[in-house]
Amino acid sequence: MLQLRDLPTPETLHKFAQRYPEADISAISSFLHLLRVATDLSSALDECLQRHGLLQGRWWVLILLMREESLSSMPSTLADKAGVTRATMTGLLDGLERDGLVERIFDAQDRRRVSIRLTTSGQARLDQVMPDYYSRLRLCMAGLDEAQRAQLQAMLGHIASNVDAFTR
Amino acid sequence: MLQLRDLPTPETLHKFAQRYPEADISAISSFLHLLRVATDLSSALDECLQRHGLLQGRWWVLILLMREESLSSMPSTLADKAGVTRATMTGLLDGLERDGLVERIFDAQDRRRVSIRLTTSGQARLDQVMPDYYSRLRLCMAGLDEAQRAQLQAMLGHIASNVDAFTR
DNA sequence: TTGACATTGTTAGCTTCCTAACTATAATGT
DNA sequence: ACATTATAGTTAGGAAGCTAACAATGTCAA
């Protein structure tokens, strides 16, 4: 995703809007601000995770496993839930297995299947990361009270319901 | 950045909050929704750009060049403005130059420097992409009126000013 | 029963991001 | 004047994303 260190000035937006009459200045501005804040949050999250020797993709896989009663799931399910391809998931699991945070268990019934299981070492790593992550997140969102958070989510919902307009 | 196809249910959040008392449920929820919408928007943008044979990183470089009066800039400046390292910018420029959208002009005065210039072909590509992008963006943000957009930006500002709390 | 199809996971090769190290050039201080 | 330091850009190697192709295994219908 774009990093967007340098958002357009009002002058720049105006200049672009002159050349491209399709431009809706406040729409562009809101969109870019949203992406900007999201990427800033994502970078901050990266930094937090790296202190614990994790990267976003791998960390999210651990969380998905911890959500399961059995602490295990299949690569294809994990790929769907994480929003990546199965090929990408293979790579993430390779890394996690190499670090001993996860183990592959081959299914004897259906020999195409593999079960991915969170190891005790993986659980321990999460127990180390999550309190830190949650504490930081609490501080980060402290600027908004409950009502504002609800309002933010409502507005995000309005956008989300129109995202397919972008694609179509 | 994470794709987050599968946000946690209230039950899952509750379960995690029991294990990790640092968790602030509404903070987590708002944070994840924000990331989710941003990544959805980013994917939609990807799809739009790919129809015109562009990728986000390269597209943004073209925009940064078009902002300049001279239609040119330096790799290091572009890297700063795009929020990527100079090494990454080298790679982006390699691709853009190979496609003829940009040209490298070596500085005779200071022989360390290279000037990157948007070619007429690069400008033409932008003229093809931008109206499409702006039209889609307009539709996508149509769910929010001007007041709501201003409100959204204000709330994003509140979060942005606390992002460093995440890092520190 | 066997031929066609579907599913699971992997590999291979590309892009884009990173950090660290390097080359070449310019600027500066003693 | 010359050694040090700073700057500009690149290269090398890694991670994480993609698509496309593939092997192995199951399933199902004729």
Side-chain angles (χ1 to χ4, degrees), chain B:
Chain B
M1 189 145 115
L2 280 172
Q3 241 354 38
L4 298 177
R5 282 267 72 71
D6 199 57
L7 295 187
T9 61
E11 294 74 41
T12 302
L13 277 177
H14 183 70
K15 210 180 77 181
F16 274 66
Q18 294 238 316
R19 185 176 187 112
Y20 306 115
E22 298 83 358
D24 173 342
I25 292 188
S26 75
I28 299 169
S29 179
S30 299
F31 172 72
L32 293 179
H33 274 85
L34 178 56
L35 286 192
R36 166 67 187 270
V37 171
T39 54
D40 284 355
L41 285 172
S42 180
S43 307
L45 175 58
D46 274 334
E47 198 170 321
C48 169
L49 294 178
Q50 262 170 19
R51 296 180 192 192
H52 301 280
L54 278 178
L55 297 168
Q56 274 192 41
R58 298 182 184 184
W59 170 70
W60 196 249
V61 171
L62 295 184
I63 290 184
L64 288 174
L65 288 174
M66 185 176 158
R67 282 190 194 164
E68 301 297 324
E69 200 64 52
S70 62
L71 298 182
S72 56
S73 183
M74 284 167 42
S76 49
T77 306
L78 291 170
D80 288 345
K81 291 187 176 175
V84 300
T85 62
R86 282 176 295 169
T88 297
M89 186 51 65
T90 295
L92 291 174
L93 293 175
D94 285 347
L96 286 167
E97 192 177 33
R98 202 185 318 122
D99 291 350
L101 306 179
V102 132
E103 56 187 344
R104 281 182 166 93
I105 299 169
F106 298 90
D107 188 322
Q109 262 63 46
D110 184 339
R111 294 174 55 200
R112 292 171 303 182
R113 295 180 181 232
V114 180
S115 180
I116 305 300
R117 189 188 168 97
L118 186 65
T119 62
T120 54
S121 175
Q123 178 68 69
R125 184 69 62 91
L126 273 182
D127 286 344
Q128 180 195 346
V129 175
M130 297 304 285
D132 189 21
Y133 159 66
Y134 282 143
S135 301
R136 292 173 189 281
L137 192 48
R138 175 189 291 274
L139 287 176
C140 182
M141 300 301 267
L144 300 182
D145 60 29
E146 290 295 326
Q148 288 173 310
R149 292 175 187 182
Q151 216 173 4
L152 173 61
Q153 289 198 38
M155 286 194 288
L156 292 173
H158 289 325
I159 298 175
S161 64
N162 278 337
V163 168
D164 48 336
F166 213 119
T167 299
R168 204 176 320 116

Side-chain angles (χ1 to χ4, degrees), chain A:
Chain A
M1 189 146 113
L2 281 172
Q3 236 2 28
L4 298 177
R5 281 268 71 72
D6 199 57
L7 296 186
T9 61
E11 293 74 41
T12 302
L13 278 177
H14 182 71
K15 210 181 78 182
F16 274 67
Q18 294 239 316
R19 185 176 188 113
Y20 306 116
E22 297 83 357
D24 174 343
I25 291 188
S26 76
I28 299 169
S29 179
S30 298
F31 172 72
L32 293 179
H33 273 86
L34 178 56
L35 286 192
R36 166 67 189 271
V37 172
T39 54
D40 283 355
L41 284 172
S42 180
S43 307
L45 175 58
D46 274 333
E47 198 172 320
C48 170
L49 294 177
Q50 262 170 17
R51 296 180 192 192
H52 301 279
L54 278 176
L55 296 168
Q56 275 192 41
R58 297 183 185 182
W59 170 71
W60 197 249
V61 171
L62 296 183
I63 289 183
L64 288 174
L65 288 174
M66 186 176 159
R67 283 188 194 165
E68 302 295 324
E69 200 65 52
S70 62
L71 298 184
S72 56
S73 184
M74 286 167 40
S76 49
T77 307
L78 291 170
D80 287 345
K81 291 187 175 176
V84 300
T85 63
R86 283 176 295 168
T88 298
M89 186 52 65
T90 295
L92 291 174
L93 294 174
D94 284 346
L96 285 167
E97 192 178 34
R98 203 184 317 122
D99 291 352
L101 305 180
V102 133
E103 57 186 344
R104 281 182 166 93
I105 299 169
F106 297 91
D107 188 321
Q109 263 64 45
D110 184 340
R111 295 175 55 201
R112 293 170 304 181
R113 294 180 182 233
V114 181
S115 181
I116 305 299
R117 189 188 170 95
L118 186 65
T119 62
T120 53
S121 175
Q123 178 68 70
R125 184 69 62 94
L126 273 182
D127 286 344
Q128 180 195 346
V129 175
M130 297 305 284
D132 188 21
Y133 159 66
Y134 283 144
S135 300
R136 292 173 189 280
L137 193 48
R138 174 189 291 275
L139 288 176
C140 182
M141 300 301 265
L144 300 182
D145 60 29
E146 290 296 325
Q148 288 173 310
R149 292 175 187 182
Q151 215 173 4
L152 173 62
Q153 289 198 38
M155 287 194 289
L156 292 173
H158 289 324
I159 298 175
S161 64
N162 279 337
V163 168
D164 48 337
F166 213 120
T167 300
R168 203 177 317 116

